[in-house]
Amino acid sequence: MHEAYKAIPVYEKMPLNIESVAVCNYDVYGKKKSEDGKLIAKVLVGTKVGHLFVFKINANVQYARGVESMLERNCRSFSKKPILQLFATNELNLIISLSEGVISIHHLDSFNRITSLAKTKGATYFSADLESQVSSTGAAAHALKLCVAVRRNLQFYFWKNGEFCELHADVQLPEVPKTLAWCRDSICVGLKREYLLVKLNDENPVRDLSPTGKISEPVMSLVHDNMIAVLKDEDTVFVNSNGDVTYKLSFTWSESPIALCSQPPYLLSVMAKYIEVRTMEPRIFIQSIDIQKPKMVKCYQNWVIVASANSIWLLQQLPFSKQLPALLNSREYELALQLAKLSDEESAEEKEKTVQNIEILNAFDKFRQRRFEESLHSFANLSVDPSQVIGLFPDMLPEKQSNKIKYPDPVTRLKGTELEEGLIALSEYLTLKRNEMLKVTTSTVHNLKPIVAKNEVIKSRKSLLQIIDTTLLKCYLKTNNALVGPLLRLPENYCHLEEAERILKKMNKTRELTELYKRKGLHRKALDLLLTQHQEQGITMELVEYLQHLGNNHLELVFHFAEEILESNPRECLKVFTGDTTEVESLPRRQVFDFLDLRAGQLVKPYLEHLIFSLEDETETFHNQLALIYKDHVMQLTKELNLGRPDDIIVIVDDDLDMNEESAELVQAKSKLQSFLEVSTSYEPQRLLSEFPLDCLLEERAVILGRQGSHEQALAIYIYHLHDSDKAESYCQRVHNESPEKNKDVFLSLFKMYLQTGQPQTDESNLKIALKILHKHATKIDALQVSSSRFTSAWWRC
């Protein structure tokens, strides 16, 4: 796909056969650097006859064929037999080697032997692992572990105070291992037909991993600190230190590799005639490098060393700055991103810009691949200007604004199912960005990024919210109508009025358009819409509910549109002023009363009843007016029944004559009037007395007189005009119960009036009534006043 490595000969056609290779930094206990800071490598080569060659490689000195490499030392006496394995660490100044069936330790700088591990006699393979940590003070600490295969046993050691100490008890295997590799505190073991994992400190340390397949030798390599790759035919399986598979997808090579090596983000495999380079994420083929009969590969930091039987090559990775253009041209953004993050070729600031640019390109490419959710999630995390993300979708931005936005490549217009899926993802993205914008406390939004550097970024918080809300509205109208209303009802709704109005009208969304006008304070527009709906479809409820929530600040509108409802539906019109809302209760009641009195007289009575009985309004004027309305209603019914007086209806009731519907209505109206006069304490008695007739409605007049405290006048009506002692007594009982202290003498007045009738023919019966009252209500009558001289003569006459 692109050139990531180039092969540079280090030493070709050695006279001795190569058996093993190790690579480390050049200096001991430190890092030898050239002027521009790149490392210099030390490559150790073990031969079949026991000679040890040391090469110095300086990548900073370039020749026509590659970098500078030189043979620095040839130690012919290192061993008498083939050096089967090598491991070198400049941090601890050590060489670990397997030769003559035993593990030996040498100094890296002098090659002097330190010791041989006698217990490892008969060893066939080893694996060493160096862990380095840097403390907060900058001090480095290194821990070296060693696992040695001796026949069917595994031996474990760690380096301490200049020697290897036992780390763990020996672990027995079913057969002699072919290869080993550390993965944290576990060791992966390759047998002839299977892979095992030995997990130290477990009760049952050995567990099966995977069969090897048809390959003749097991192959494995550490990928990073908690991932190891094991080969199964042409496929590679990746497991962690617990033996769990960590990479679920199939990873296949062109053929079965001889050896594996990892240099992130690349995996390299040795084939019979070439080196193959691939990546795991994304899974792509990178390069095939022709090398004559390679048989082993070693990766260490920035170095990859390949060896055949008699030649050594350095696989030099091209600078990331040279790899990136090829990757970007082929749209391999995920791999380009990995390289950019690993690069140390730029300043921190420039590196951040490069990474960010690639991330934006990657997000854009995901959009082109219709991976909408991933793409928009990336755009959100990258703080890309939301308007430029919205512009990727058709008809979401005004054409003039959309034409100003440039993209890395032409954007194919979305249609059908793809468009719907994209808009759903866009809705989620916009909801997230909306919430972010609402938390911004300044009028300007900072740190937004363009998709292409030449694009201008919108910085106004209000403008961004307007674009976001208007686009959300369009998305919901196309994907989820149920969310349109809730969006428009949000307390902070930033939809662009003209654009939202246009699209809602186009889609005949009357209710939603009304909500838009309402939230924008355009109440007359909203009410005109609802009025049209009322006139054309007879739908009144929505208009009434809207008016119920306008309140005192829009009283003129309330009156105007209530009048529009009045003619066709008076009952609904009344609800405008009697609804159970805070706004309705806040309306100025006197002005509402005057409006109804002028425009809708038939609604005055139910409105006053609502105020007095439901809201317990004690306004004198309202109580006066309702009492007079009740009185006028009684008088009107009396006239319609051709009765001389309203009181004549009592004769019909008392004589048990048949009552028609009109008569029953009069009885009910008269009862309502009297009940109201008895219950209400807020009307003006003097005002009502001047409005009530003198020749009828006497019982009602008596109630009014009693309300102003004229109890004797009221009793006179019961006694002298109505001749009803029971009602007179009931009157006294009622007013005494209302205020016992204030009306304490009301029964005395009743008693006196029955003794002072001045009508001889009735005196005897009146005296009996008086005595009955005295007997029944003795506790409510002053005995001293009863026994006074004025009453004694009357008493003796009985």
Side-chain angles (χ1 to χ4, degrees):
M1 189 193 80
H2 80 282
E3 188 179 20
Y5 292 90
K6 63 178 179 179
I8 300 173
V10 174
Y11 198 102
E12 292 184 292
K13 299 180 180 179
M14 288 182 65
L16 303 176
N17 286 339
I18 298 171
E19 287 289 332
S20 57
V21 173
V23 58
C24 65
N25 289 331
Y26 182 75
D27 66 324
V28 176
Y29 302 123
K31 292 183 177 179
K32 185 73 173 179
K33 297 184 180 181
S34 60
E35 291 181 359
D36 65 357
K38 291 189 177 180
L39 297 177
I40 302 174
K42 180 176 290 190
V43 178
L44 285 71
V45 179
T47 66
K48 193 170 184 179
V49 298
H51 294 189
L52 181 67
F53 292 87
V54 180
F55 294 90
K56 176 183 176 182
I57 302 177
N58 187 348
N60 301 301
V61 181
Q62 301 286 330
Y63 295 106
R65 296 188 62 193
V67 300
E68 178 187 68
S69 62
M70 57 184 293
L71 177 61
E72 189 174 68
R73 187 169 179 179
N74 178 6
C75 183
R76 291 186 171 88
S77 59
F78 190 83
S79 176
K80 296 178 181 179
K81 292 191 177 181
I83 304 171
L84 301 177
Q85 270 186 275
L86 283 171
F87 174 84
T89 166
N90 64 294
E91 291 86 352
L92 297 176
N93 189 26
L94 296 178
I95 301 172
I96 303 174
S97 63
L98 171 59
S99 182
E100 303 180 55
V102 70
I103 301 296
S104 298
I105 318 299
H106 293 73
H107 285 300
L108 177 60
D109 56 355
S110 64
F111 296 168
N112 293 333
R113 182 191 297 267
I114 299 173
T115 185
S116 293
L117 300 181
K119 189 181 174 183
T120 64
K121 186 68 173 176
T124 55
Y125 202 90
F126 76 86
S127 175
D129 178 57
L130 181 70
E131 294 182 8
S132 299
Q133 292 184 342
V134 179
S135 68
S136 58
T137 62
H142 309 287
L144 179 62
K145 295 180 297 188
L146 181 67
C147 177
V148 183
V150 181
R151 301 179 184 86
R152 293 193 300 160
N153 290 332
L154 294 183
Q155 299 175 8
F156 300 93
Y157 302 91
F158 70 99
W159 184 256
K160 182 178 180 182
N161 298 329
E163 63 178 346
F164 273 111
C165 305
E166 187 173 307
L167 174 66
H168 188 276
D170 292 1
V171 174
Q172 190 170 25
L173 302 174
E175 60 182 86
V176 176
K178 299 281 189 177
T179 184
L180 303 170
W182 280 100
C183 186
R184 290 191 176 177
D185 290 331
S186 300
I187 190 84
C188 188
V189 181
L191 304 179
K192 187 174 181 179
R193 296 299 180 195
E194 64 177 331
Y195 296 100
L196 304 177
L197 187 76
V198 177
K199 189 168 177 60
L200 303 186
N201 303 321
D202 265 19
E203 290 184 11
N204 300 306
V206 181
R207 63 186 67 178
D208 295 336
L209 281 184
S210 166
T212 59
K214 299 176 182 178
I215 58 177
S216 58
E217 295 289 334
V219 178
M220 65 176 70
S221 175
L222 186 68
V223 178
H224 58 66
D225 70 318
N226 193 29
M227 182 187 289
I228 197 162
V230 298
L231 192 65
K232 182 182 178 183
D233 297 327
E234 292 84 17
D235 295 332
T236 303
V237 179
F238 299 89
V239 296
N240 61 18
S241 59
N242 292 319
D244 303 320
V245 176
T246 57
Y247 188 75
K248 305 295 183 182
L249 302 176
S250 173
F251 191 91
T252 305
W253 301 96
S254 300
E255 58 183 82
S256 295
I258 300 168
L260 294 177
C261 175
S262 172
Q263 189 181 48
Y266 300 118
L267 276 178
L268 298 90
S269 66
V270 177
M271 306 300 185
K273 295 181 180 180
Y274 59 92
I275 304 294
E276 185 168 299
V277 184
R278 292 182 177 269
T279 57
M280 288 176 57
E281 294 180 0
R283 284 186 307 158
I284 53 177
F285 168 80
I286 300 297
Q287 182 183 8
S288 179
I289 306 167
D290 291 334
I291 288 181
Q292 188 175 3
K293 297 181 180 180
K295 69 174 186 177
M296 65 186 73
V297 60
K298 292 293 178 181
C299 296
Y300 175 77
Q301 295 183 359
N302 296 329
W303 307 98
V304 179
I305 302 298
V306 177
S308 66
N310 56 8
S311 296
I312 302 170
W313 293 270
L314 165 67
L315 293 190
Q316 186 180 30
Q317 189 173 159
L318 270 64
F320 292 153
S321 57
K322 292 187 177 180
Q323 294 187 58
L324 286 177
L327 291 171
L328 296 179
N329 287 336
S330 58
R331 297 197 177 97
E332 291 295 344
Y333 299 115
E334 292 185 19
L335 180 55
L337 193 57
Q338 292 181 57
L339 292 181
K341 289 179 178 179
L342 290 170
S343 174
D344 58 0
E345 299 169 12
E346 299 176 303
S347 67
E349 184 178 350
E350 289 298 318
K351 179 177 177 178
E352 183 181 355
K353 288 182 180 179
T354 301
V355 168
Q356 188 177 84
N357 180 55
I358 297 172
E359 286 177 328
I360 291 174
L361 290 172
N362 191 29
F364 177 77
D365 192 58
K366 288 176 180 176
F367 184 88
R368 292 178 66 255
Q369 297 173 39
R370 307 307 188 238
R371 294 157 62 185
F372 301 115
E373 210 170 302
E374 294 178 59
S375 171
L376 296 180
H377 180 73
S378 297
F379 281 131
N381 290 337
L382 293 166
S383 297
V384 172
D385 180 353
S387 68
Q388 298 184 28
V389 177
I390 293 168
L392 293 167
F393 295 84
D395 305 324
M396 289 289 140
L397 291 177
E399 186 176 355
K400 185 177 180 181
Q401 182 181 0
S402 182
N403 290 339
K404 291 180 180 179
I405 302 174
K406 306 301 178 185
Y407 294 102
D409 290 300
V411 180
T412 306
R413 187 180 180 88
L414 297 174
K415 294 186 287 186
T417 305
E418 284 185 348
L419 176 59
E420 185 175 353
E421 291 174 357
L423 291 179
I424 291 172
L426 179 61
S427 300
E428 295 176 358
Y429 163 81
L430 292 174
T431 302
L432 174 67
K433 301 309 290 185
R434 185 181 199 280
N435 292 335
E436 287 180 9
M437 294 296 167
L438 290 176
K439 294 176 183 177
V440 176
T441 55
T442 59
S443 60
T444 303
V445 181
H446 301 284
N447 300 323
L448 290 181
K449 311 298 187 304
I451 286 184
V452 171
K454 293 181 180 179
N455 290 342
E456 290 187 11
V457 172
I458 296 177
K459 296 181 180 180
S460 165
R461 173 182 179 272
K462 184 178 178 181
S463 297
L464 284 168
L465 280 167
Q466 192 174 68
I467 292 170
I468 288 170
D469 276 7
T470 306
T471 307
L472 263 177
L473 174 63
K474 294 178 180 180
C475 288
Y476 290 157
L477 285 169
K478 291 185 178 183
T479 62
N480 193 343
N481 273 293
L483 295 177
V484 174
L487 171 65
L488 295 174
R489 284 192 290 273
L490 286 172
E492 294 179 296
N493 172 13
Y494 290 88
C495 284
H496 186 275
L497 177 61
E498 289 76 13
E499 182 68 8
E501 184 180 39
R502 180 188 67 79
I503 191 169
L504 289 171
K505 282 182 177 180
K506 182 180 178 181
M507 301 186 74
N508 295 319
K509 297 290 183 180
T510 303
R511 179 178 298 178
E512 290 78 5
L513 185 56
T514 303
E515 197 63 54
L516 173 69
Y517 289 146
K518 181 178 181 180
R519 288 299 170 188
K520 298 295 183 182
L522 302 173
H523 299 299
R524 182 171 289 277
K525 276 193 165 188
L527 289 166
D528 282 336
L529 267 181
L530 294 173
L531 180 61
T532 301
Q533 185 176 264
H534 162 68
Q535 292 169 341
E536 295 178 356
Q537 304 174 32
I539 300 174
T540 308
M541 181 180 67
E542 291 180 13
L543 178 56
V544 169
E545 288 179 352
Y546 196 105
L547 292 171
Q548 286 177 337
H549 289 86
L550 281 181
N552 188 33
N553 293 334
H554 304 283
L555 190 60
E556 182 183 347
L557 284 177
V558 174
F559 286 159
H560 174 78
F561 284 92
E563 192 172 353
E564 296 286 351
I565 303 172
L566 180 62
E567 185 176 347
S568 61
N569 203 331
R571 181 179 295 178
E572 292 299 312
C573 178
L574 178 63
K575 290 180 181 178
V576 173
F577 307 105
T578 60
D580 186 18
T581 69
T582 304
E583 293 82 2
V584 168
E585 290 190 19
S586 72
L587 293 175
R589 296 171 184 177
R590 181 70 208 196
Q591 288 177 254
V592 173
F593 170 79
D594 291 341
F595 167 76
L596 293 176
D597 191 38
L598 179 66
R599 302 292 186 184
Q602 73 272 32
L603 299 181
V604 172
K605 173 173 165 282
Y607 177 66
L608 291 174
E609 288 175 336
H610 170 73
L611 293 183
I612 293 169
F613 300 132
S614 298
L615 303 183
E616 300 180 353
D617 192 308
E618 296 181 354
T619 303
E620 200 174 64
T621 302
F622 295 155
H623 284 254
N624 290 343
Q625 196 63 38
L626 185 58
L628 292 175
I629 290 173
Y630 283 164
K631 183 265 296 182
D632 291 344
H633 185 51
V634 170
M635 299 303 294
Q636 179 64 30
L637 290 173
T638 300
K639 183 178 179 181
E640 291 174 0
L641 287 170
N642 295 319
L643 297 174
R645 302 179 307 159
D647 300 333
D648 292 344
I649 195 68
I650 299 173
V651 178
I652 298 175
V653 176
D654 290 345
D655 293 345
D656 200 23
L657 301 174
D658 292 336
M659 286 197 300
N660 55 24
E661 187 176 338
E662 289 80 6
S663 300
E665 185 180 357
L666 176 57
V667 171
Q668 185 179 5
K670 199 169 183 305
S671 174
K672 180 184 283 190
L673 170 61
Q674 184 172 343
S675 176
F676 177 70
L677 293 172
E678 290 175 353
V679 171
S680 174
T681 59
S682 299
Y683 58 79
E684 292 179 276
Q686 195 63 39
R687 163 82 192 283
L688 293 188
L689 287 172
S690 67
E691 298 284 345
F692 271 60
L694 296 173
D695 60 340
C696 61
L697 296 178
L698 297 178
E699 189 171 352
E700 288 76 5
R701 176 175 282 275
V703 175
I704 298 171
L705 287 167
R707 185 59 70 201
Q708 75 173 6
S710 302
H711 300 305
E712 291 187 358
Q713 293 181 54
L715 289 172
I717 291 176
Y718 287 116
I719 295 171
Y720 304 139
H721 295 282
L722 299 179
H723 308 293
D724 194 328
S725 61
D726 290 338
K727 287 188 176 181
E729 184 180 357
S730 295
Y731 170 84
C732 291
Q733 184 67 56
R734 177 171 56 78
V735 297
H736 185 274
N737 289 344
E738 287 177 358
S739 182
E741 185 61 31
K742 181 181 178 182
N743 300 321
K744 63 182 179 179
D745 293 332
V746 68
F747 280 101
L748 178 62
S749 296
L750 179 60
F751 176 74
K752 287 164 55 180
M753 292 184 74
Y754 270 110
L755 293 180
Q756 296 175 349
T757 59
Q759 299 178 14
Q761 67 274 19
T762 60
D763 279 354
E764 185 175 348
S765 61
N766 285 344
L767 181 58
K768 289 180 180 180
I769 294 172
L771 291 173
K772 177 183 175 184
I773 291 169
L774 181 63
H775 175 72
K776 188 174 180 181
H777 301 286
T779 59
K780 303 168 188 172
I781 299 174
D782 189 340
L784 183 62
Q785 295 192 50
V786 171
S787 61
S788 65
S789 57
R790 289 185 60 191
F791 299 113
T792 304
S793 58
W795 189 278
W796 282 110
R797 285 201 304 272
C798 75

